[in-house]
Amino acid sequence: MKILLTGATGFIGRNLRHALIDAGHTLLCTSREYRPDGASCQWAVVDFAHVSTTRWCELLAGVDAVVNAVGVFRERGDATFAVVHGTGARRLFAACVHAGVRRVVQVSALGADGSARSPFHMSKRAADEHLLSLPLDATVMQPSLVFGLDSASSRAMLTWASLPLVPLPAGGLQALQPVHVADVADAVVALLPARDLWRGQRIALVGPAQLTLRDYLRALRAGLGLVSWRACTVPPSWLPIALRVAEGWPRARSDRAVRLLLQWGRAGDATAMEALLGRAPRPPSRFIEPSVARETRRQARFAWLLPLVDSGVKRSD
């Protein structure tokens, strides 16, 4: 198949790109900047905030399916939730109808439903509902908290898990169902050839079982090869502080979408995920391969040790 993949340089997008190429598909990839990294696909520079439906129709010539992996977690300039998730996505979907490209896969987010509370989730929900109302063979994929070593948010979670004393907002009892990015990519690859089978459905891309934030951090810590576990309960309002420390305190700004996800918790039914994969998705205990555990542990610890060293040097000066 020839597939148009949007958001091809983002975390999920680049993993999808490699998986789709490995599966033998031909790709036309789009991003705001031309940033190929050796992957064998065509590229087009497209800014969702400004691209027209006409331009999308030009790009869709000869395309069999579209995978929309564009998303922003923090609004910057004209790249707002309403524009990127709303107006920009609607133009792409309208072009699919006009160009006769029926197969569309939308990468949304778990929580983009009737219980959505954040502008991020509400904008995703609006785009999903609009897509599913169109005469297209469309499927909405809703990933939970996605883990991958090439993800900034996952690296932050690993840093958090590696702290000598792990702070747990509200005791870390929030319900989560994290999923590995390789399983997300494999699910999309399996979905694309299944014409009409998943039409109009929302599929939760989640791990095999629900667990608490506390259990997730402990599993990541074990994956790093850190056996001992010391944790303390802190007020829920401390969650942004914990994330800032994990992301490189004191300069970091914590990701609001991740913060809300952890604060409220997100879990879903893994049945569809298992059907697509033909197996159970991997649990957090298998997120970190033993061959990279040592280096990953070093990087996780370095992320919170370096700011402490810098602060000590500045005080001595």
Side-chain angles (χ1 to χ4, degrees), residues 187-229:
V188 174
V189 170
L191 176 82
L192 279 168
R195 296 183 183 277
D196 292 311
L197 183 62
W198 300 92
R199 179 174 182 169
Q201 296 193 41
R202 292 177 171 87
I203 298 175
L205 301 181
V206 294
Q210 178 179 306
L211 70 166
T212 63
L213 172 60
R214 177 189 181 95
D215 290 337
Y216 182 43
L217 290 170
R218 193 161 190 172
L220 293 179
R221 187 176 178 88
L224 291 172
L226 299 171
V227 179
S228 63
W229 167 263

Side-chain angles (χ1 to χ4, degrees), residues 4 9-10 41 54 71 90 98 100 104 113 124 133 136-137 139 155 158 160 167-168 175 183 217 260 263-264 290 312:
L4 174 70
T9 56
C41 58
T54 300
R90 284 171 179 255
H98 184 76
V104 179
D113 49 33
K124 280 288 191 180
S133 72
L136 296 168
D137 180 7
T139 308
R155 290 195 298 270
L158 288 169
W160 186 356
L168 299 173
D183 286 339
L217 290 170
L260 291 172
Q263 184 175 358
W264 291 329

Side-chain angles (χ1 to χ4, degrees), residues 7-8 14 26 51-52 67 71 90 121 126 136 139 156 159 204-205 224 233-234 262 275 287 309:
R14 63 177 171 264
T26 300
V51 64
S52 66
V67 178
R90 284 171 179 255
H121 286 103
L136 296 168
T139 308
T159 300
L205 301 181
L224 291 172
T233 297
V234 297
L262 295 177
F287 279 3
V309 173

Side-chain angles (χ1 to χ4, degrees), residues 38 95 134 150 185 215 236 250 265 278 283 285 305 314:
L134 298 174
D150 56 332
D215 290 337
S285 60
L305 280 170
K314 289 178 181 178

Side-chain angles (χ1 to χ4, degrees), residues 11-171:
F11 166 49
I12 292 179
R14 63 177 171 264
N15 282 276
L16 283 174
R17 187 174 81 235
H18 295 303
L20 289 167
I21 290 173
D22 289 345
H25 297 293
T26 300
L27 293 191
L28 171 57
C29 299
T30 75
S31 62
R32 284 180 295 177
E33 299 176 357
Y34 180 64
R35 294 185 294 175
D37 60 356
S40 54
C41 58
Q42 296 175 275
W43 284 87
V45 177
V46 173
D47 186 341
F48 253 54
H50 302 289
V51 64
S52 66
T53 301
T54 300
R55 175 57 176 155
W56 279 127
C57 287
E58 294 171 355
L59 292 172
L60 289 171
V63 167
D64 301 303
V66 168
V67 178
N68 180 32
V70 165
V72 292
F73 292 106
R74 185 179 294 137
E75 295 179 307
R76 291 183 180 137
D78 56 3
T80 64
F81 297 137
V83 169
V84 176
H85 299 162
T87 306
R90 284 171 179 255
R91 289 172 180 164
L92 171 60
F93 302 153
C96 290
V97 174
H98 184 76
V101 180
R102 295 185 61 250
R103 195 76 180 97
V104 179
V105 175
Q106 159 88 332
V107 180
S108 183
L110 198 65
D113 49 33
S115 64
R117 307 184 192 182
S118 71
F120 167 80
H121 286 103
M122 289 189 289
S123 62
K124 280 288 191 180
R125 175 193 174 191
D128 299 345
E129 291 182 344
H130 176 71
L131 172 62
L132 297 179
S133 72
L134 298 174
L136 296 168
D137 180 7
T139 308
V140 173
M141 311 292 272
Q142 297 182 308
S144 178
L145 188 63
V146 183
F147 178 89
L149 293 179
D150 56 332
S151 160
S153 63
S154 296
R155 290 195 298 270
M157 295 295 291
L158 288 169
T159 300
W160 186 356
S162 73
L163 291 169
L165 181 64
V166 180
L168 299 173

